[in-house]
């Protein structure tokens, strides 16, 4: 039975208020003693709420590729002494695969995709287009390739393709051309230089009414630097594998590229027989692996958006694992 959304409130002592906090707690519908795998722990906002929903009893596995979250995890673990906690640093797709291989099974998996408020607010990480900083954008600082490497090394056609595909930017070709011209004079090293280059490449009328002119370019570079869509495709499959029958998978995405992948995965997982319609008897033997619980995407309400404008683009989908066996 789902808990009433209106009864779920963020803790006053939580480091920050996570997006869709009430909806996540309600749809995952946890009970004491359950096992949760949080693939994108961040500052632990959702973790605190979910731990409270379990009455502080059970197992919570936290995954994050950013080493900066270790302090948040330590505080979370300290505040829940009766909860078995474990931190796994790394890409959630790889971490989930390794957990499956070691026999871990979960009652719920949560993925809060994209960049965290913690990372945006750290100016030196280079994620924010509103602040001049080193052009980095790595979620894991130990990774080799930065956003500066992309804009300085890729040819014009590759840059345009990335900006168009992952940023859905209509002026991708003009922006790529401007980047190549600017770097011929001096390589990019600061986010402010890239913002100014993008601004000059976009027609003035197009710079108004659709957010910051560099928003889509920064999104595209960040996705490629961190291989976010590749991790999502692999991570969803491993999340399915780690779920117990009846366990739930919840995914929060922040742009259409992510949401499309999540929607397609859940829809395909919920599909049963795929035999031709004119075949009198099923020959494929395929059974649904998932039951989609949110046929319509869940979005934040007006009050949440007013309190936290960053939540406006959040989209939440949930599916439940069936008892069908996974194909070999």
């Amino acid at each position: 039975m789902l808990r009433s959304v209106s009864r779920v409130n963020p803790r006053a002592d939580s480091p920050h208020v996570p997006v869709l906090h009430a909806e996540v707690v309600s749809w995952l519908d946890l009970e004491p003693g359950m096992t949760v795998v949080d693939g994108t722990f961040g500052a632990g906002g959702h973790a605190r709420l979910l731990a409270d929903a379990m009455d502080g009893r059970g197992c919570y596995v936290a995954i994050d590729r950013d080493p900066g979250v270790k302090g948040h995890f330590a505080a979370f673990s300290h505040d829940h002494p009766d909860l078995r906690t474990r931190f796994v640093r790394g890409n959630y797709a790889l971490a989930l695969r390794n957990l499956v291989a070691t026999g871990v099974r979960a009652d719920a998996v949560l993925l809060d995709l994209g960049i965290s408020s913690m990372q945006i607010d750290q100016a030196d990480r280079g994620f924010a287009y509103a602040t001049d900083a080193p052009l980095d954008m790595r979620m894991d600082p130990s990774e080799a390739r930065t956003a500066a490497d992309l804009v300085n090394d890729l040819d014009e056609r590759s840059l345009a393709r990335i900006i168009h595909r992952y940023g859905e930017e209509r002026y991708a070709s003009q922006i790529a051309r401007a980047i190549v011209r600017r770097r011929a004079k001096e390589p990019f090293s600061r986010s402010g230089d890239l913002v100014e280059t993008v601004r000059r490449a976009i027609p003035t009328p197009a710079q108004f009414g659709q957010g910051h002119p560099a928003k889509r370019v920064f999104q595209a570079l960040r996705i490629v630097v961190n291989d976010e869509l590749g991790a999502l495709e692999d991570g969803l499959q491993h999340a399915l594998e780690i779920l117990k029958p009846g366990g739930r998978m919840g995914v929060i995405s922040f742009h259409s590229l992510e949401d499309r992948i999540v929607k397609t995965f859940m829809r395909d997982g919920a599909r049963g027989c795929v035999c031709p319609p004119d075949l009198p008897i099923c020959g494929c033997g395929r059974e649904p692996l998932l039951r989609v619980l949110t046929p319509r995407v869940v979005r934040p309400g007006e009050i949440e958006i007013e309190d936290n404008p960053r939540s406006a683009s959040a989209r939440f989908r949930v599916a439940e694992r069936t008892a069908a066996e996974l194909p070999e």
Side-chain angles (χ1 to χ4, degrees):
M1 180 180 296
L2 294 178
R3 298 178 178 85
S4 170
V5 170
S6 62
R7 296 180 184 176
V8 182
N9 297 298
R11 289 174 38 158
D13 61 347
S14 181
H16 77 290
V17 179
V19 299
L20 292 162
H21 50 270
E23 291 81 358
V24 167
V25 172
S26 177
W27 280 105
L28 292 187
D29 198 28
L30 299 175
E31 297 178 0
M34 285 186 167
T35 296
V36 178
V37 176
D38 185 343
T40 46
F41 182 79
H46 285 120
R48 290 179 176 274
L49 295 172
L50 294 176
D52 288 347
M54 293 190 292
D55 197 25
R57 292 180 286 122
C59 179
Y60 204 96
V61 181
I63 303 169
D64 208 291
R65 66 198 303 180
D66 191 331
V69 311
K70 287 185 177 180
H72 295 291
F73 175 77
F76 166 74
S77 185
H78 177 269
D79 292 343
H80 298 86
D82 296 327
L83 187 67
R84 301 191 310 278
T85 58
R86 175 182 176 186
F87 179 72
V88 181
R89 185 193 162 193
N91 181 301
Y92 66 84
L94 179 59
L96 282 168
R97 185 180 72 182
N98 291 339
L99 289 171
V100 170
T102 57
V104 174
R105 294 297 179 266
D107 298 285
V109 176
L110 175 64
L111 300 178
D112 183 1
L113 305 175
I115 186 174
S116 70
S117 293
M118 174 186 68
Q119 291 166 329
I120 294 175
D121 294 337
Q122 291 177 320
D124 61 340
R125 304 292 295 275
F127 287 109
Y129 40 78
T131 304
D132 184 37
L135 191 55
D136 195 318
M137 300 193 196
R138 292 172 297 175
M139 293 180 180
D140 181 349
S142 68
E143 295 289 339
R145 187 173 61 173
T146 68
D149 294 327
L150 290 181
V151 297
N152 287 324
D153 297 341
L154 293 179
D155 60 63
E156 182 178 324
R157 178 177 296 182
S158 297
L159 278 170
R161 179 178 55 81
I162 284 173
I163 295 169
H164 180 266
R165 179 178 179 184
Y166 300 113
E168 300 179 294
E169 170 60 67
R170 62 182 298 191
Y171 297 106
S173 296
Q174 294 94 313
I175 293 170
R177 190 176 306 118
I179 288 174
V180 171
R181 288 175 178 172
R182 161 63 172 75
R183 77 187 189 193
K185 301 175 183 177
E186 182 181 2
F188 286 92
S189 62
R190 307 284 300 181
S191 60
D193 295 330
L194 179 59
V195 168
E196 185 59 27
T197 300
V198 172
R199 192 189 303 275
R200 291 181 179 180
I202 297 177
T204 301
Q207 297 185 25
F208 301 95
Q210 296 185 350
H212 196 285
K215 176 181 179 179
R216 290 175 292 279
V217 175
F218 272 59
Q219 172 184 296
L221 293 174
R222 191 201 77 221
I223 287 174
V224 174
V225 166
N226 298 288
D227 188 25
E228 294 178 34
L229 299 188
L232 176 57
E233 291 174 344
D234 290 343
L236 289 171
Q237 179 60 40
H238 299 317
L240 172 64
E241 294 167 358
I242 206 172
L243 278 177
K244 302 175 183 177
R248 294 186 176 185
M249 172 196 309
V251 186
I252 303 173
S253 59
F254 288 87
H255 54 77
S256 60
L257 298 175
E258 292 174 335
D259 184 58
R260 194 175 302 131
I261 292 173
V262 176
K263 179 181 179 181
T264 300
F265 179 84
M266 291 185 175
R267 180 197 62 199
D268 291 348
R271 184 180 300 161
C273 175
V274 293
C275 292
D278 57 347
L279 197 66
I281 301 176
C282 174
C284 69
R286 174 169 171 167
E287 297 181 48
L289 298 171
L290 291 172
R291 181 168 68 95
V292 177
L293 303 182
T294 52
R296 298 185 62 181
V297 69
V298 178
R299 292 181 176 272
E302 294 181 3
I303 295 177
E304 178 174 358
I305 294 174
E306 182 178 350
D307 291 341
N308 178 18
R310 289 177 178 173
S311 71
S313 59
R315 314 169 193 199
F316 186 44
R317 296 186 186 273
V318 185
E320 184 177 270
R321 178 78 165 85
T322 70
E325 294 187 9
L326 290 168
E328 294 294 335

